[in-house]
Amino acid sequence: MILLFSVFFMVGALAFVWSNVKMIKFSYDYQALLHERNELLRKNQILKVERESLQSLNRIRVLAREELGLIEPANTDRVTIFLK
Amino acid sequence: MTSPKKHLAKTFRTDIRVRLILVSVLFGLFGLGLVSRLFYLQVYMHNELVARSDKQYLSTVKIYYGRGEIFDRNMNQLATNIEVESIFANPADIPNKVIAARELARALNLDPKTVLSRVSSKKHFVWIKRKCSLKEAETVRRLGLSGLSFVPEHKRFYPKRELAAGVVGFVGMDNQGLAGVEHHFHQVLKGTTRLKVMEKDALGRQVGAFNDLSRSQSQSRDLVLTIDEVIQFTAEYHLKKAVEKYRAKSGTAIVMDPSTGEIYALATVPQYNPNQYASYSPKTWKNPGVSNSYEPGSIFKPVVAAAAIDSGVARPQDIFFCENGEFKIGSVSIGEASDHKFGWLTLQNIIAKSSNIGAIKIAQQLGSQNLFRYIRDFGFGQRSGINLPGEAEGQLRSPDRWTQLSLASISFGHEIGVTPLQMITAMSAIANGGKLMQPRITKGVLKEGQPVRSFPPRLIKRVISEKTSKQMIDVLKTVVKEGTGQEAAVEGYDVAGKTGTAQKYNSETQSYSKSDYMSSFVGFAPADAPRLAVLVMIDEPRGTYWGGSVAGPAFREITRQSLRYLGVPSKEERVYILDRA
């Protein structure tokens, strides 16, 4: 009887400790992932800023006119289509 | 006589009792000590020990939600934040200050003497450099100097550089708004800091607290402007070209939706880059479109003509005698621009040919009180309430302070100070059927991408009737078709507008300058269903100074490209209407 009680007690204690250990391990993993996520977000923000800078209309105008040789179409070359 | 055995037993019992008492006393004392100690620790020292324990396993994490972003009307980013690092030091922890200062100065491109004075300070905290670039922070980290610490901070970044800098403004080192909407909406945009208490282990690593600590869930609010990045760029590009071509001192261009008062572009030259605002003269930080007032010159004549038509004292085809180019008011003789000598002109031709004497005659028929009332109604002499700092109200004296010459001077845009914003708002009222709309630069405020506040169009008041508006549109179309504004004509579109060439007043000589002019053009297109009102002002152009020649071409290009961008078809192109059904 005492032996059985001791076994149950041990199992209960181990389950309690195991769940706590597991929770702490998860929280470490979570913190590491959070750190990684923040780092990726930071990189993402830098890339967004770079994209915005590259989309500068002044830069696009220079590229279009000087590198690609694009010109504006005349009014007669244009067709406007309105969808009803 | 007792036996020795009995005596021995008695002595033993006494001895045992003494010992027992002694042990009991000792146990009692020990118990008392234990209880006292427990009382001391659990009751007397309770608060302090709890605090010490919390300090050991709890840590406070500071979460900074960055300053809100600024977008144009199509959600293109105009201002954002980037995470950077600032470096500070505890000088007491730096062993060799001279070497440390030399290494730091080299890595951070700072003056070695300044760094040495900082690291030699007796304070326990000194900034070495705020908001370093990633490369700089990494270089300093590699130096491995003791006594240095790094702290993450947010730096404001304007990805479009000079674009709309006068409207957006900039922030200071501590992210406080210093100019433009950054200043006006500082309370809305400013970032928030939240403190969160978390458990930590023996190594200082955070444990527990599965709540989201990420910085992406911003608590800040973002601002959406009415500015359109493309139209703003177009306005800046052509304004800059005009300023450079005529070697002018400065220039201002405003593009507005006349029906709502929304400002699509507010351009200023010279420009500045808000990312490095300190490298530019503080004069360039101003926004002359709203904070400077000028004598408008002839672009003010449409206001006088509209007032006369609306009050019924004149019609567009009524004729006025223009005194063959010379008109005396008291001892002052007033002439026409370019020494023109006009005889009889209709009101329409007075505006088309920009006759000063004709404008005086119209104003005289209107009378001082009436003219003043209409000028006030058109929004002059008062702030419009636009959400930008430093708005000027202009200069408009009440008729009781006018001189004999004032009515005449005001009729052709002198003796009155108006801001470019007031001028385009008034012209928009003529264009949109007579309604004075409040000019707006902000469209709304967002929180986590959802609108929490909007700035809808606001009618200030009806200034002139729809009929007057239509008559004025016809009058102003003549200016571009046959009058002084022919260089502002846009191929394929009907344009209405007015040129202005105002001599600038020199306060030193107390007379009008013979060489310094304000050349301007204000108009709208398509004339009969206006989508855009555009104003271009060029300050002190060299070579030629006529508003039609200096500002007109810039107006033409800004209007042409903006109408094209907005999908307003020209008369020359083919238009198809496709029925989805």
Side-chain angles (χ1 to χ4, degrees):
Chain A
M1 183 68 191
I2 292 169
L3 189 70
L4 197 67
F5 178 76
S6 303
V7 168
F8 274 126
F9 180 78
M10 283 298 290
V11 169
L14 279 173
F16 178 74
V17 171
W18 177 82
S19 66
N20 270 296
V21 168
K22 205 72 186 160
M23 197 188 82
I24 289 177
K25 191 186 171 307
F26 279 142
S27 84
Y28 285 147
D29 292 348
Y30 172 75
Q31 295 297 333
L33 288 170
L34 195 65
H35 183 75
E36 193 182 331
R37 179 173 181 258
N38 280 339
E39 190 56 30
L40 289 171
L41 281 171
R42 197 178 63 81
K43 281 183 185 163
N44 181 260
Q45 176 68 2
I46 290 170
L47 288 171
K48 273 186 192 167
V49 167
E50 198 176 327
R51 185 194 63 191
E52 288 296 327
S53 299
L54 291 172
Q55 282 178 343
S56 152
L57 293 171
N58 203 26
R59 179 178 167 274
I60 290 171
R61 188 184 178 91
V62 171
L63 285 176
R65 288 207 179 255
E66 291 173 15
E67 285 193 21
L68 302 172
L70 300 181
I71 53 161
E72 275 188 65
N75 278 346
T76 46
D77 295 336
R78 288 171 171 143
V79 175
T80 300
I81 299 169
F82 289 112
L83 288 174
K84 202 165 77 172
Chain B
M1 195 175 162
T2 55
S3 67
K5 260 188 176 180
K6 274 185 180 175
H7 177 73
L8 197 67
K10 194 180 173 186
T11 312
F12 179 72
R13 275 200 299 274
T14 312
D15 196 32
I16 287 290
R17 197 178 298 128
V18 169
R19 283 187 191 192
L20 274 172
I21 290 168
L22 202 68
V23 169
S24 300
V25 167
L26 280 175
F27 267 108
L29 283 174
F30 179 72
L32 196 68
L34 207 63
V35 168
S36 307
R37 182 67 183 160
L38 272 173
F39 179 82
Y40 175 75
L41 291 175
Q42 295 288 346
V43 181
Y44 186 73
M45 292 291 286
H46 178 264
N47 291 343
E48 194 187 321
L49 291 174
V50 164
R52 258 197 245 173
S53 134
D54 283 353
K55 204 175 170 186
Q56 279 177 3
Y57 76 89
L58 291 180
S59 68
T60 307
V61 182
K62 200 186 251 187
I63 310 160
Y64 179 62
Y65 295 99
R67 193 174 171 83
E69 298 185 328
I70 300 176
F71 299 97
D72 82 339
R73 62 188 301 116
N74 299 317
M75 298 305 288
N76 294 306
Q77 225 169 34
L78 297 176
T80 185
N81 307 302
I82 44 173
E83 264 189 46
V84 289
E85 283 186 299
S86 292
I87 304 169
F88 66 93
N90 180 359
D93 294 342
I94 300 176
N96 194 331
K97 295 179 175 35
V98 178
I99 292 175
R102 196 177 58 214
E103 296 284 315
L104 282 170
R106 193 182 301 150
L108 298 170
N109 197 22
L110 295 171
D111 175 33
K113 282 181 188 167
T114 316
V115 181
L116 184 61
S117 74
R118 282 181 198 163
V119 297
S120 308
S121 164
K122 285 181 180 165
K123 293 177 188 166
H124 291 284
F125 177 97
V126 284
W127 285 115
I128 300 297
K129 189 172 182 180
R130 298 278 306 271
K131 301 183 179 179
C132 309
S133 67
L134 292 173
K135 199 178 159 192
E136 285 175 330
E138 200 47 47
T139 314
V140 173
R141 204 170 261 123
R142 279 206 204 107
L143 291 175
L145 297 169
S146 58
L148 293 182
S149 300
F150 299 80
V151 60
E153 284 198 283
H154 277 190
K155 186 181 179 180
R156 201 63 162 161
F157 184 69
Y158 304 93
K160 304 292 159 61
R161 298 177 188 91
E162 289 88 356
L163 191 94
V167 175
V168 175
F170 54 86
V171 298
M173 188 53 87
D174 291 313
N175 283 344
Q176 72 281 26
L178 295 180
V181 290
E182 289 273 31
H183 174 72
H184 195 88
F185 283 93
H186 177 68
Q187 289 304 320
V188 171
L189 290 166
K190 70 174 182 182
T192 50
T193 306
R194 219 164 49 130
L195 295 176
K196 186 152 185 71
V197 178
M198 293 184 70
E199 281 182 48
K200 65 176 178 182
D201 65 8
L203 295 174
R205 292 175 302 184
Q206 284 155 359
V207 289
F210 284 89
N211 304 329
D212 191 7
L213 291 177
S214 85
R215 289 185 169 88
S216 68
Q217 248 188 0
S218 172
Q219 299 290 304
S220 316
R221 285 166 289 175
D222 303 322
L223 192 64
V224 183
L225 303 182
T226 60
I227 293 287
D228 186 301
E229 184 189 351
V230 177
I231 299 179
Q232 176 74 30
F233 170 74
T234 308
E236 286 180 7
Y237 180 80
H238 293 290
L239 180 70
K240 200 172 165 191
K241 258 175 85 172
V243 167
E244 282 171 2
K245 183 177 178 187
Y246 295 102
R247 290 169 282 124
K249 198 169 120 186
S250 63
T252 301
I254 305 178
V255 183
M256 182 184 264
D257 178 344
S259 58
T260 63
E262 285 185 353
I263 294 171
Y264 288 140
L266 207 168
T268 303
V269 170
Q271 298 170 286
Y272 71 95
N273 182 348
N275 293 309
Q276 291 142 9
Y277 66 92
S279 322
Y280 295 81
S281 157
K283 280 182 191 167
T284 60
W285 302 346
K286 280 179 75 180
N287 191 340
V290 295
S291 56
N292 285 8
S293 69
Y294 310 93
E295 286 186 307
S298 298
I299 52 169
F300 196 72
K301 287 172 186 164
V303 173
V304 180
I309 295 171
D310 195 64
S311 61
V313 300
R315 287 168 300 177
Q317 296 311 319
D318 285 353
I319 54 169
F320 294 84
F321 182 57
C322 295
E323 307 287 344
N324 294 317
E326 194 176 344
F327 188 44
K328 277 206 158 192
I329 295 175
S331 59
V332 180
S333 179
I334 295 171
E336 303 283 13
S338 293
D339 292 327
H340 277 122
K341 291 175 178 26
F342 300 120
W344 288 93
L345 287 179
T346 60
L347 181 146
Q348 186 155 347
N349 277 333
I350 286 170
I351 300 299
K353 295 178 191 297
S354 201
S355 163
N356 292 339
I357 298 168
I360 296 170
K361 293 286 181 81
I362 298 168
Q364 282 175 339
Q365 259 188 18
L366 193 62
S368 303
Q369 290 297 340
N370 256 345
L371 179 63
F372 177 77
R373 184 171 61 80
Y374 272 100
I375 292 173
R376 288 286 296 182
D377 284 355
F378 268 107
F380 297 104
Q382 57 210 305
R383 291 187 183 92
S384 69
I386 192 169
N387 291 325
L388 282 172
E391 188 189 6
E393 60 182 29
Q395 288 95 40
L396 174 65
R397 287 176 294 146
S398 58
D400 53 306
R401 290 173 60 210
W402 288 7
T403 63
Q404 193 190 4
L405 203 60
S406 297
L407 180 75
S409 301
I410 290 171
S411 72
F412 54 88
H414 285 270
E415 266 196 57
I416 182 171
V418 310
T419 65
L421 183 72
Q422 287 172 340
M423 198 62 238
I424 195 167
T425 309
M427 187 54 101
S428 293
I430 293 174
N432 70 16
K435 293 173 285 182
L436 187 76
M437 302 301 295
Q438 186 181 38
R440 289 182 304 130
I441 198 77
T442 41
K443 215 168 163 56
V445 177
L446 306 177
K447 190 172 179 184
E448 287 170 22
Q450 297 303 314
V452 288
R453 189 176 162 195
S454 63
F455 301 89
R458 192 172 82 80
L459 170 72
I460 297 175
K461 70 186 298 185
R462 173 169 284 283
V463 188
I464 52 171
S465 67
E466 267 191 52
K467 189 182 168 200
T468 309
S469 162
K470 283 199 168 61
Q471 288 173 317
M472 276 307 297
I473 290 172
D474 287 338
V475 169
L476 294 172
K477 273 156 79 174
T478 324
V479 176
V480 181
K481 275 184 188 152
E482 306 157 13
T484 53
Q486 292 179 42
E487 288 183 66
V490 183
E491 214 178 324
Y493 298 93
D494 273 341
V495 174
K498 182 72 190 84
T499 55
T501 312
Q503 278 179 288
K504 288 185 75 180
Y505 189 75
N506 188 329
S507 52
E508 281 175 21
T509 58
Q510 299 216 324
S511 62
Y512 282 96
S513 167
K514 296 265 187 257
S515 58
D516 298 338
Y517 291 84
M518 176 65 78
S519 308
S520 39
F521 189 91
V522 60
F524 50 90
D528 296 308
R531 290 287 303 275
L532 294 174
V534 180
L535 171 138
V536 177
M537 285 178 122
I538 309 287
D539 191 6
E540 297 184 19
R542 297 289 172 243
T544 182
Y545 50 78
W546 298 112
S549 307
V550 175
F555 168 92
R556 181 185 64 223
E557 288 309 307
I558 294 169
T559 307
R560 187 179 64 79
Q561 291 192 346
S562 301
L563 286 174
R564 164 60 35 209
Y565 164 73
L566 291 174
V568 181
S570 76
K571 287 177 186 170
E572 293 165 350
E573 70 188 67
R574 285 163 290 165
V575 178
Y576 296 98
I577 299 171
L578 288 184
D579 195 333
R580 286 175 203 265

